[in-house]
């Protein structure tokens, strides 16, 4: 789990540092077709919801991460569980580090018609999908 967590935090923070150093805040750089790199800040959660509600966001995140860690601790023998849990925790920690440092999350991957996001967000989404797969795997349901 710590490998996935560390790799996620490192990749996220390095990509954000590259963007902050090379792209002015609010600047759009077209990568191709409907994908831009845009240096923006998100004070809310997904899609900017609850913007400006830092304390409730951090509290809800801490509660969710505590529940995830408890589930992980109770299911240590579950094969592959470490990977999605590490990705989710790493993404959450990386975004929380932004909030502590910047007061907002740094987002920069900006597809047309979709709010900007970052590597940590990708890790969280893929981690949740992976967690659902591991928890609901055919082997676990007895369908081997």
């Amino acid at each position: 789990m710590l490998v996935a967590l560390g790799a996620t935090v490192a990749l996220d923070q390095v990509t954000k540092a590259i963007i902050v150093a090379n792209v002015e805040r609010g600047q759009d750089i077209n990568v191709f077709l409907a994908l831009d790199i845009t240096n923006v800040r998100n004070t809310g959660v997904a899609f900017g919801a609850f913007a400006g509600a830092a304390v409730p966001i951090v509290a809800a995140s801490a509660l969710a991460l505590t529940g995830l860690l408890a589930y992980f601790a109770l299911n240590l023998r579950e094969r592959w569980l470490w990977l999605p849990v590490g990705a989710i925790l790493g993404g959450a920690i990386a975004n929380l580090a932004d909030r502590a440092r910047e007061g907002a999350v740094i987002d920069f991957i900006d597809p047309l018609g979709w709010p900007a996001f970052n590597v940590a967000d990708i890790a969280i989404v893929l981690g949740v999908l992976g967690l659902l797969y591991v928890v609901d795997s055919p082997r676990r349901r007895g369908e081997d």
Side-chain angles (χ1 to χ4, degrees):
M1 176 188 65
L2 292 178
V3 171
L5 185 156
T8 300
V9 171
L11 182 61
D12 178 74
Q13 294 296 294
V14 166
T15 57
K16 288 173 180 173
I18 291 168
I19 296 303
V20 168
N22 294 291
V23 179
E24 295 294 322
R25 194 177 292 190
Q27 179 184 4
D28 290 325
I29 299 173
N30 184 258
V31 178
F32 63 88
L33 299 178
L35 180 65
D36 292 344
I37 297 295
T38 308
N39 182 351
V40 297
R41 300 297 182 275
N42 179 359
T43 60
V45 291
F47 314 119
F50 306 112
V55 172
I57 289 170
V58 171
S61 296
L63 183 63
L65 294 177
T66 300
L68 181 62
L69 282 171
Y71 180 82
F72 181 71
L74 294 171
N75 294 279
L76 285 174
R77 294 178 189 246
E78 187 64 42
R79 202 169 66 197
W80 293 106
L81 185 61
W82 63 271
L83 184 57
V85 169
I88 295 167
L89 289 173
I93 288 169
N95 280 342
L96 286 171
D98 287 357
R99 286 187 194 285
R101 195 175 52 250
E102 299 264 338
V105 174
I106 300 167
D107 287 331
F108 60 92
I109 303 167
D110 192 9
L112 180 68
W114 195 263
F117 56 93
N118 59 48
V119 172
D121 297 335
I122 295 168
I124 292 167
V125 169
L126 293 177
V128 168
L129 292 173
L131 182 64
L132 292 172
Y133 178 78
V134 169
V135 168
D136 193 40
S137 69
R139 181 181 57 77
R140 190 170 173 135
R141 289 191 314 256
E143 296 174 12
D144 276 340

